[in-house]
Amino acid sequence: MYRIREVDGQDEDVADTLAELHQQTFFDRARVPQFDHGHWWFAFDGAEPVAFAGLVASTHVDNAGYFCRVGVLREHLGRSLQLRLMRALEARARRNGWHSIVSDTTDNIASANNFIRAGYRLYQPQAPWAWPRTLYWRKTMG
């Protein structure tokens, strides 16, 4: 059984584990985020963290959170961990008083499908911040 827990990215041990999970899930395809900013979660299988996600204040959309990263270890894929982490992010965004969450995906069909399952909608930001083939997602917090 998996458990989702918010963790303190400013804690050195937590930041080290986040960095390890990031390396194991993204390899060298994405830069390592600053774990001392924003909110971070682990999905635990027993006592082992097997997935992570992060939410920071958006620098592109007013009063919104930016779902900045999610990674799930290969052997734990297909168990709805990204969706469960998204629910935790959304609860935090509501507590923060943010009116929406935005994010993006590039060439990642599985992640895009999870955004659709979680009720996110595609949108075109006024100032796109990523790659030409990037899809932009937004969900209004109700």
Side-chain angles (χ1 to χ4, degrees):
M1 176 168 225
Y2 295 98
R3 292 176 300 112
I4 307 296
R5 296 288 179 260
E6 188 168 357
V7 295
D8 181 0
Q10 294 182 12
D11 178 278
E12 190 174 319
D13 292 333
V14 169
D16 288 346
T17 302
L18 284 164
E20 288 173 24
L21 285 169
H22 191 275
Q23 175 60 36
Q24 293 171 348
T25 56
F26 285 90
F27 308 101
D28 293 324
R29 295 186 311 249
R31 68 172 179 75
V32 177
Q34 295 179 349
F35 299 122
D36 59 346
H37 291 86
H39 306 280
W40 294 92
W41 289 263
F42 285 144
F44 290 94
D45 181 15
E48 272 313 297
V50 297
F52 74 102
L55 177 70
V56 298
S58 174
T59 58
H60 302 285
V61 178
D62 289 336
N63 196 29
Y66 174 63
F67 181 11
C68 63
R69 194 73 87 226
V70 62
V72 179
L73 294 178
R74 180 174 305 282
E75 56 271 22
H76 297 275
L77 291 172
R79 297 191 174 99
S80 299
L81 292 176
Q82 181 176 352
L83 284 169
R84 291 182 61 191
L85 288 161
M86 291 168 108
R87 299 289 186 238
L89 295 169
E90 293 165 10
R92 168 53 68 189
R94 285 183 191 93
R95 287 192 303 275
N96 285 359
W98 291 334
H99 69 77
S100 64
I101 296 176
V102 296
S103 194
D104 54 81
T105 57
T106 306
D107 299 331
N108 189 333
I109 292 171
S111 192
N113 281 328
N114 280 327
F115 276 103
I116 293 166
R117 280 186 200 97
Y120 287 73
R121 308 285 271 166
L122 285 170
Y123 86 108
Q124 183 63 47
Q126 288 182 345
W129 59 80
W131 309 102
R133 292 187 325 270
T134 295
L135 301 174
Y136 295 92
W137 302 94
R138 178 172 42 201
K139 183 172 185 176
T140 301
M141 300 292 96

